[in-house]
Amino acid sequence: MDTDMMNEKKEYEDCQSFQECVDELVRRTIERIEKEMPETGSFSDIFELFCNPDGQTSNVVGKYGLHVYKMRADIVPDPAKRYVQACAYIPSGEYKATLMAGSGTKTEILALMKDPAYANKLNYTFGELLDMLQDF
């Protein structure tokens, strides 16, 4: 795994709760999508991560994050289709669990992520990822 991707961002250190970290994750991902993702064609994958603030589960999941990407054209030929994955990484970063957290055009993904319910659903999704890694 790319070490730059795994470096936590200082901005997340001020989170008072897990939900605040999720809210900040969504906000920063939206910001990057707006700046870095074109309407069509390729772009560099977008990763945003935060350290798990829950001391009771941080031995199972070290970091949570979102990964926004475009599949290769030979797999998904639509040049406007993008995907969002929710990710949970073990503390060493060597293994992760992922679940799909959205797909569509840039406009559709931004609309999905700007819906206030999205961050709450993402919190639930991260709980599912924690369960997956606990059972690993």
Side-chain angles (χ1 to χ4, degrees):
M1 168 157 301
D2 187 310
T3 56
D4 289 336
M5 185 180 78
M6 289 304 295
N7 289 334
E8 64 268 16
K9 302 207 180 317
K10 186 171 180 49
E11 293 87 356
Y12 291 115
E13 292 176 5
D14 296 329
C15 295
Q16 298 298 312
S17 69
F18 190 84
Q19 186 62 54
E20 284 183 21
C21 288
V22 173
D23 293 344
E24 179 66 9
L25 172 74
V26 172
R27 186 192 68 74
R28 291 186 59 83
T29 303
I30 289 170
E31 183 178 285
R32 290 194 55 201
I33 289 171
E34 290 174 336
K35 290 178 182 176
E36 300 173 27
M37 182 191 295
E39 293 291 335
T40 62
S42 297
F43 61 97
S44 294
D45 289 6
I46 296 170
F47 288 97
E48 279 294 323
L49 301 162
F50 68 89
C51 288
N52 183 359
D54 181 358
Q56 294 181 348
T57 61
S58 60
N59 63 324
V60 178
V61 175
K63 296 185 186 212
Y64 290 97
L66 287 175
H67 175 204
V68 184
Y69 63 98
K70 177 178 179 3
M71 287 197 191
R72 292 188 339 244
D74 61 324
I75 297 172
V76 178
D78 183 347
K81 186 80 170 183
R82 282 84 168 85
Y83 298 89
V84 181
Q85 282 185 332
C87 308
Y89 298 86
I90 65 170
S92 69
E94 295 173 9
Y95 180 79
K96 68 179 177 180
T98 62
L99 289 170
M100 193 60 62
S103 68
T105 65
K106 176 180 179 176
T107 302
E108 291 168 339
I109 289 173
L110 286 171
L112 173 71
M113 294 180 87
K114 288 179 179 180
D115 181 334
Y118 183 80
N120 292 332
K121 290 178 186 175
L122 192 56
N123 191 336
Y124 176 79
T125 301
F126 286 146
E128 291 179 336
L129 292 170
L130 172 64
D131 290 345
M132 289 168 62
L133 289 173
Q134 282 178 322
D135 294 339
F136 179 66

